[in-house]
Amino acid sequence: MSSPRTPTDPHQPVVAGLLLAAGGGRRLGGRPKALLEHRGSPLVEHAVRTLREGGCGPVHVVLGAAADRVREEADLTGCVVRDNPAWEEGMGSSLRVGLASLGAADAALVLLVDQPGIGAEAVARVRAAYRSRSSLAAAAYGGRRGHPVLFGADRWDGIAAGAEGDQGARAYLRAHADAITLVECGDVAQEYDIDTPEDLRYLL
């Protein structure tokens, strides 16, 4: 996990991990995605480990559906946990809550809780694309932009302003496509989502 900036290491950027884990799993019969089991632990724990092992820190987690139950059943020790009371409005509201919680970090690397096919190696590759507080980077799969994404701190206000519904940062990324560094991750990650009962086959 990356270390916070200290007086003896003034140039080490703080790239926070931002995990969006508020989804209610409507197409999964209302099972909160954060608590779906994968490799013996809840998806939210798996994703937190992925961010830490990929070099991000601190890790911020945005909860929504069944937030109290997630806090009780999942080990989120060491994470900054925020609740999104408006989670039903879509991913955009969770992204706004998460960005507002990040404080003095230099960048945020955003991961979605329902994409367990994205591991620490993909996170580390995208994190390595950080150059400055205006950085904008994303994983690519066969050249197509996907997750995770990295947002330098100078871009957070603009991203939050356009984060509505389930679009998240999509509109901002489209408008700034020429500034995005694409980092190919198709050889180390799979970008499937756990959205439907059929998708549960991806969980081990």
Side-chain angles (χ1 to χ4, degrees):
M1 186 169 63
S2 61
S3 301
R5 184 183 288 132
T6 67
T8 58
D9 189 13
H11 303 298
Q12 177 69 23
V14 177
V15 179
L18 176 53
L19 177 61
L20 303 185
R26 282 185 292 270
R27 286 182 283 173
L28 292 167
R31 300 165 64 186
K33 291 185 176 184
L35 290 178
L36 293 174
E37 189 170 315
H38 180 55
R39 297 179 180 174
S41 63
L43 274 183
V44 67
E45 291 183 13
H46 174 79
V48 166
R49 285 195 300 271
T50 294
L51 286 168
R52 286 176 173 154
E53 291 171 6
C56 297
V59 174
H60 292 239
V61 181
V62 180
L63 302 179
D68 289 343
R69 187 178 151 209
V70 175
R71 287 174 184 268
E72 290 174 6
E73 297 184 20
D75 182 3
L76 300 177
T77 303
C79 296
V80 178
V81 183
R82 294 288 183 264
D83 290 348
N84 174 18
W87 65 269
E88 290 182 284
E89 295 178 5
M91 189 193 309
S93 62
S94 291
L95 182 57
R96 292 196 304 272
V97 168
L99 291 174
S101 78
L102 294 176
D106 296 295
L109 190 143
V110 181
L111 185 66
L112 308 182
V113 77
D114 65 348
Q115 294 187 322
I118 297 173
E121 189 165 354
V123 168
R125 285 187 186 183
V126 176
R127 187 196 181 285
Y130 176 86
R131 295 293 180 272
S132 73
R133 290 169 64 91
S134 63
S135 287
L136 199 58
Y141 299 85
R144 179 184 55 83
R145 177 174 54 78
H147 285 91
V149 293
L150 182 142
F151 303 134
D154 290 350
R155 297 186 178 272
W156 295 349
D157 287 347
I159 291 166
E164 300 291 340
D166 277 323
Q167 294 296 301
R170 212 170 298 167
Y172 185 93
L173 291 171
R174 278 197 301 266
H176 298 83
D178 58 343
I180 301 172
T181 298
L182 291 179
V183 182
E184 184 58 45
C185 293
D187 59 322
V188 296
Q190 295 177 292
E191 205 200 13
Y192 55 78
D193 300 304
I194 308 297
D195 281 333
T196 68
E198 291 73 24
D199 296 331
L200 295 175
R201 70 185 187 276
Y202 293 118
L203 300 180
L204 306 176

